[in-house]
């Protein structure tokens, strides 16, 4: 059974930083592209960042480029999202996602097969 468990969310002031982590189990992590998505109240889930199985390729949404960094540790089966210069509009539930198809790096939610339960990030102004 595949499990993705996010942690690290919380309340932070604008301009601050948070580091989210996602621990994966039950899948061949080193073969899986990983992504982070977020969903704010009343809005659709949106792409934030993605990283290839090797970590050599990363993609970011324009809204977070230069502020967020995605990374992975295939030895620990974890993927992190370092968030800096946070803005109130970054407030959302953040989800970790895994794609079990080797060689792909999706930037839409339909490309991912497994999802975590989400972690709340709230940025106060």
């Amino acid at each position: 059974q595949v499990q993705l468990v996010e942690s690290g969310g919380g309340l932070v002031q604008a301009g601050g930083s948070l580091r989210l982590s996602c621990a994966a189990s039950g899948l061949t992590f080193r073969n899986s592209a990983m992504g982070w998505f977020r969903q704010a109240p009343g809005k659709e889930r949106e792409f934030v960042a993605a990283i290839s199985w090797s970590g050599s390729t990363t993609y970011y949404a324009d809204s977070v480029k230069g502020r967020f960094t995605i990374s992975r540790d295939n030895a620990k089966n974890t993927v992190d999202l370092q968030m800096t210069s946070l803005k109130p509009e970054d407030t959302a539930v953040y989800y970790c996602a895994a794609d079990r198809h080797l060689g792909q790096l999706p930037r839409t939610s339909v490309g991912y097969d497994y999802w975590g339960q989400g972690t709340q990030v709230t940025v106060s102004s």
Side-chain angles (χ1 to χ4, degrees):
Q1 181 181 359
V2 175
Q3 282 193 314
L4 302 176
V5 180
E6 301 99 336
S7 61
L11 173 64
V12 64
Q13 288 188 332
S17 299
L18 277 177
R19 188 177 186 91
L20 305 183
S21 187
C22 173
S25 61
L27 76 165
T28 307
F29 184 79
R30 64 182 180 274
N31 289 349
S32 302
M34 300 296 295
W36 284 95
F37 289 76
R38 66 187 181 186
Q39 187 166 17
K43 295 188 176 181
E44 293 187 353
R45 189 170 299 188
E46 65 173 2
F47 170 76
V48 175
I51 188 166
S52 62
W53 65 272
S54 66
S56 61
T57 303
T58 56
Y59 293 129
Y60 296 92
D62 288 343
S63 59
V64 307
K65 204 171 292 183
R67 300 188 298 122
F68 291 11
T69 302
I70 188 171
S71 61
R72 67 188 295 158
D73 187 334
N74 285 350
K76 295 182 179 179
N77 285 9
T78 58
V79 58
D80 291 349
L81 185 69
Q82 178 68 49
M83 306 185 295
T84 62
S85 301
L86 283 161
K87 305 174 182 180
E89 50 264 44
D90 294 318
T91 295
V93 177
Y94 283 71
Y95 297 91
C96 171
D99 173 20
R100 61 187 172 91
H101 298 96
L102 182 64
Q104 298 186 142
L105 186 51
R107 280 167 280 185
T108 61
S109 58
V110 296
Y112 288 87
D113 303 290
Y114 308 109
W115 293 84
Q117 81 289 351
T119 186
Q120 176 71 46
V121 171
T122 303
V123 183
S124 63
S125 56

